[in-house]
Amino acid sequence: MGCGGSKTTANQVSQNRRRLSVGHVDDTGGSAGQDTEDEVRGLVKELDAASLMAMLKDGETQGRRFSIGSITDQGKQQFANKKTTQDGDKVDPVSYGLGYTCRKGLKPESPNQDSWMVLKVESDVSIYGVFDGHGKQGHDISNYVKDTLPKLILKDERFKTKHMKEMLMDSFKKVQQLVAAQDRAKKFNAQMSGTTATLVVHDHTQGKLTIAHVADSTCVLGSVKDAESGEGKALTRDHKPNLSEERARIEKAGGRVVFDGYANHRVYAKNGRYPGLNMSRCLGDLMGH
């Protein structure tokens, strides 16, 4: 996706600027205040210490609860299925209509950089998430967001209320702050590595889907027409630099959109050859701030 490794320097990028493909935020000068930094560190520690199942509130439902998702591995065999882990009640996911596969692609230099998760609380709510990493450490960042974003959502008091839209937007912004904090702590390098994020909250009591996404992992609703055929309907639109409104926003924020001569339009800084993303929004990629 046009990303590679980079070396960080003390004066590289102001922490208060958002990536040029997201939009303009006033630069207040200097680093974040100590109280804000302490708050972020405390939240990182809290979320790291708790499992996703532990974030569920007791007494909301008597149904079964379980989560299942990918585990990052360093395997580089083409088309190898990614390892998974399951927590909560011991159930067969197939019996709940859940099917999944996550296979490594053709790039020989990197492991499978995709991550995914499902949380299901029977007769209540499910959360589905897909995260496609890019860059040298994209697999670590997609795994971190896969683990952290659902916890932020469950922790928020607005979860399963009429304020879901605002809650999800805030959660995406917060997880970006946490990715930056992990980069500063040298847990991984997110300067030119990042991930997409597509997340669906399925309210079973209302029969309602609430979808939030960033970048280009398309959410598709599948339906069965008959015993031999089905169809899919895209529920999200990919964030791509060649879209007129995305291009206008990027250029207004001081960036450039350049066709690479092959198949993709890419995002660059006004006077630099970075970050080179072929998507107009994503998590991570701090060099683009």
Side-chain angles (χ1 to χ4, degrees), residues 8 42 46 49 67 81 126 140 160 185 206 219 244 264 273 279:
T8 60
E46 176 188 351
S67 67
N81 216 343
S126 295
D140 294 319
K160 292 169 58 182
Q206 298 186 43
C219 178
S244 58
N264 296 298
R273 294 295 295 174
M279 61 196 76

Side-chain angles (χ1 to χ4, degrees), residues 30 40 76 87 157 176 188 245 251 259 271 279:
V40 170
K76 297 182 180 180
D87 194 13
E157 293 182 353
Q176 173 74 348
F188 46 64
E245 60 269 38
E251 292 175 345
F259 182 59
N271 298 308
M279 61 196 76

Side-chain angles (χ1 to χ4, degrees), residues 201-222:
V201 179
H202 185 185
D203 187 327
H204 297 293
T205 61
Q206 298 186 43
K208 181 180 179 180
L209 301 177
T210 304
I211 304 164
H213 84 292
V214 64
D216 58 359
S217 291
T218 310
C219 178
V220 176
L221 177 65

Side-chain angles (χ1 to χ4, degrees), residues 142-275:
S142 72
N143 187 70
Y144 179 76
V145 174
K146 178 264 296 182
D147 287 341
T148 306
L149 182 57
K151 294 178 184 178
L152 285 172
I153 291 169
L154 293 179
K155 176 181 170 65
D156 199 297
E157 293 182 353
R158 295 170 293 177
F159 180 56
K160 292 169 58 182
T161 71
K162 64 181 181 180
H163 303 295
M164 285 279 286
K165 178 180 178 180
E166 294 80 7
M167 180 273 293
L168 288 169
M169 292 177 67
D170 289 344
S171 296
F172 272 63
K173 294 174 183 177
K174 179 62 72 174
V175 81
Q176 173 74 348
Q177 290 182 329
L178 299 184
V179 168
Q182 295 294 76
D183 176 85
R184 292 194 296 273
K186 302 188 184 305
K187 299 296 184 180
F188 46 64
N189 187 333
Q191 293 299 310
M192 290 186 69
S193 294
T195 186
T196 72
T198 298
L199 188 134
V200 178
V201 179
H202 185 185
D203 187 327
H204 297 293
T205 61
Q206 298 186 43
K208 181 180 179 180
L209 301 177
T210 304
I211 304 164
H213 84 292
V214 64
D216 58 359
S217 291
T218 310
C219 178
V220 176
L221 177 65
S223 60
V224 177
K225 297 179 66 175
D226 52 52
E228 297 182 353
S229 64
E231 61 182 7
K233 178 181 179 181
L235 301 182
T236 57
R237 185 180 69 167
D238 293 349
H239 293 131
K240 288 296 189 179
N242 57 301
L243 296 175
S244 58
E245 60 269 38
E246 292 290 274
R247 181 169 191 153
R249 181 173 52 80
I250 292 165
E251 292 175 345
K252 183 178 180 180
R256 295 181 297 139
V257 174
V258 179
F259 182 59
D260 62 12
Y262 295 96
N264 296 298
H265 288 76
R266 297 185 180 275
V267 181
Y268 292 98
K270 185 175 182 179
N271 298 308
R273 294 295 295 174
Y274 65 87

Side-chain angles (χ1 to χ4, degrees), residues 91-135:
V91 300
D92 177 10
V94 175
S95 67
Y96 285 86
L98 295 175
Y100 53 86
T101 186
C102 182
R103 297 181 181 274
K104 186 193 173 315
L106 297 176
K107 290 192 296 185
E109 70 275 12
S110 66
N112 188 337
Q113 296 192 301
D114 299 334
S115 298
W116 64 275
M117 58 74 57
V118 173
L119 169 69
K120 187 173 183 64
V121 181
E122 194 174 47
S123 302
D124 186 13
V125 67
S126 295
I127 299 177
Y128 319 103
V130 171
F131 313 89
D132 181 357
H134 55 262

